Amino acid sequence: MGVKFKTSKKLNDLLKGKIIDEFKSRENLEKIGKLAAKLVYGRTKEGKGVTDAKSPSPGSTSLKELKPSYIEFRKRYPPTGRFSSVEKSNLTYTGTLLDSITPKIKKASIKLTLEGPHHAGMSNKKLGEIVQEQRPFFALTGKEQKNITSEMKKLMRLLVRRYST
Amino acid sequence: MSRVQRRELAGAPTLTIDVIALLHSVGLSAREIRSFTPIVKRHSVLNEIGEKIIDKILKNTLSGNDKDGKPFISYSPKYVKSTIFKIWKGRSRKVNLKLKGDMHADLSVVSISEPQGVVTVGFTDEEESNKAKGHITGANYLPRRDFFGLKKQELKDIMLKTIREYEEDAIFDVEEMLIKAAPKIGTEGFQDMQLFEALYGS
């Protein structure tokens, strides 16, 4: 007859606390923040914004088309940003606005911000606010939230495995 | 019912694992089977088995291998040269069926039957489900890259590991822990923080 060893509930709770603490470490939150920034950046570069930036779980939709007069301007002075296009809007002329998306970690929260000055003579944040009115892009869609949650779950399961073996 | 049933042609692709049948197939003694049967009928154990199956499928897929351990067929040069590929994958040529990660993120435990000791994993979102179906069956002139499944030995290892963990009290409710630990996340300035209420609120 074997002896069955069972961990106590107290020990189990202690372990849970340690896992949660490590999960909330700056390093892990930075990983999650970088993923969130990448998702907004990639989606916008694809030419997609969000249906309603104020909704807790918006969908994704194509960004409003460029005006013909602005397309003409862009033909004369071609955009220089990465993945830019003369005729299609992906909020990239020089690329400064989207390159400025930065995850900021404070306690247990992650904020995506638009950092620094834009060469259009205003801050990226201010430019973002103006752009957001016509072409909402700066929010996480429902699918992006799910994607981030799934990564968090993976991270948590990794920690559980590490602590419970 | 066989140990593993896969449905993909009609409707969403799902993988159903009969854990009781699996338990009978690993060469355990009658006494061990009797003692483990009530364990593998527990909701937490079936859920953990499902989650481990998902982890393993994704691990295999991310390392570029299909359900039989064979490497995926390379992406076409046209796809690799496309803007969308460059935006999300940069210079990487690794075939891991991951562009944004939406399909991988959608793979979940979709149902659990405690009395039968059965767990089913699959996709919840129609778009992601169709994407997966395309990879599994090969559609729209795409090559077949069947990532959706595990080898019998992998399934057996997962089941036995989970039983051991259950006996050692080492199964944690990850969902519950995540709710406690999830950071607030959102964009600054233009709106309130997009809390994860949308996901956890209900």
Side-chain angles (χ1 to χ4, degrees):
Chain A
M1 195 172 83
V3 178
K4 202 162 143 188
F5 175 75
K6 280 214 154 206
T7 52
S8 72
K9 192 183 174 298
K10 218 173 175 182
L11 192 64
N12 222 322
D13 287 346
L14 209 69
L15 210 58
K16 260 191 197 176
K18 270 189 97 95
I19 293 169
I20 288 177
D21 284 349
E22 190 167 337
F23 178 82
K24 289 201 278 193
S25 68
R26 191 171 180 87
E27 194 192 345
N28 278 339
L29 295 185
E30 269 170 3
K31 260 187 221 165
I32 297 164
K34 274 184 191 166
L35 171 66
K38 189 185 162 194
L39 290 171
V40 175
Y41 176 91
R43 186 220 328 119
T44 314
K45 287 280 182 184
E46 263 192 67
K48 287 177 184 161
V50 298
T51 47
D52 174 8
K54 283 179 182 154
S55 153
S57 181
S60 93
T61 182
S62 294
L63 290 164
K64 194 177 130 188
E65 287 178 12
L66 299 174
K67 281 185 188 160
S69 57
Y70 186 49
I71 292 175
E72 283 308 310
F73 171 84
R74 285 165 79 105
K75 278 180 186 165
R76 279 202 307 278
Y77 306 99
T80 53
R82 231 173 149 226
F83 308 116
S84 60
S85 145
V86 169
E87 298 191 344
K88 195 180 153 193
S89 171
N90 65 352
L91 307 190
T92 303
Y93 189 75
T94 61
T96 311
L97 179 71
L98 294 182
D99 285 342
S100 80
I101 301 175
T102 311
K104 279 197 162 180
I105 316 296
K106 200 177 173 190
K107 285 184 184 167
S109 76
I110 303 164
K111 270 184 193 176
L112 294 186
T113 61
L114 296 169
E115 290 289 294
H118 192 272
H119 52 79
M122 59 179 91
S123 67
N124 280 311
K125 187 179 172 187
K126 184 70 195 159
L127 180 65
E129 281 170 0
I130 296 167
V131 170
Q132 184 88 335
E133 280 175 29
Q134 293 290 314
R135 296 183 173 86
F137 73 103
F138 202 47
L140 293 165
T141 66
K143 276 204 179 181
E144 285 159 0
Q145 291 178 42
K146 195 171 179 181
N147 202 323
I148 294 165
T149 313
S150 163
E151 284 303 315
M152 291 199 301
K153 203 168 151 183
K154 244 189 255 170
L155 213 58
M156 182 71 89
R157 291 183 62 78
L158 206 74
L159 291 172
V160 166
R161 267 203 297 273
R162 194 188 299 159
Y163 275 100
S164 59
T165 48
Chain B
M1 185 175 161
S2 64
R3 288 186 295 271
V4 183
Q5 276 197 345
R6 217 174 70 146
R7 291 209 177 93
E8 68 213 26
L9 294 174
T14 56
L15 196 64
T16 298
I17 296 96
D18 182 340
V19 185
I20 302 292
L22 195 61
L23 190 64
H24 281 82
S25 71
V26 289
L28 297 169
S29 69
R31 187 166 167 255
E32 283 170 318
I33 290 175
R34 264 201 313 278
S35 110
F36 293 159
T37 299
I39 295 177
V40 297
K41 283 185 171 182
R42 295 187 76 92
H43 189 279
S44 60
V45 173
L46 287 167
N47 186 60
E48 183 61 24
I49 289 173
E51 292 290 352
K52 280 200 176 81
I53 287 169
I54 293 169
D55 284 349
K56 186 67 183 159
I57 290 176
L58 293 182
K59 195 176 171 195
N60 292 346
T61 308
L62 286 170
S63 51
N65 295 317
D66 70 10
K67 68 182 177 66
D68 300 313
K70 290 178 192 149
F72 290 128
I73 297 169
S74 308
Y75 291 130
S76 73
K78 196 181 165 191
Y79 182 50
V80 168
K81 279 183 195 156
S82 68
T83 306
I84 192 166
F85 188 92
K86 284 180 188 156
I87 288 174
W88 291 102
K89 293 188 72 117
R91 289 180 182 176
S92 165
R93 297 287 176 271
K94 196 169 184 186
V95 187
N96 57 13
L97 313 188
K98 185 177 181 181
L99 197 63
K100 300 170 215 177
D102 290 348
M103 185 184 79
H104 288 204
D106 192 47
L107 186 54
S108 10
V109 174
V110 290
S111 77
I112 286 172
S113 167
E114 291 162 64
Q116 275 100 36
V118 170
V119 57
T120 302
V121 300
F123 298 87
T124 56
D125 181 273
E126 201 185 336
E127 190 186 341
E128 303 315 320
S129 176
N130 287 337
K131 233 187 256 176
K133 209 161 137 182
H135 286 304
I136 294 165
T137 58
N140 303 325
Y141 307 105
L142 287 173
R144 191 167 173 233
R145 296 187 180 100
D146 191 353
F147 68 100
F148 196 46
L150 292 178
K151 293 181 204 153
K152 269 181 201 163
Q153 191 56 48
E154 289 172 323
L155 287 169
K156 287 174 186 174
D157 290 347
I158 285 173
M159 181 192 63
L160 292 174
K161 186 170 190 269
T162 312
I163 292 173
R164 202 166 53 239
E165 284 174 354
Y166 175 81
E167 293 212 302
E168 289 167 359
D169 270 354
I171 293 182
F172 292 91
D173 188 338
V174 171
E175 300 278 346
E176 185 202 303
M177 288 168 75
L178 207 53
I179 289 169
K180 276 188 195 159
K184 292 175 182 174
I185 184 163
T187 49
E188 187 189 49
F190 311 148
Q191 59 181 93
D192 292 327
M193 291 286 282
Q194 264 178 306
L195 306 180
F196 273 5
E197 272 169 19
L199 298 160
Y200 299 132
S202 56

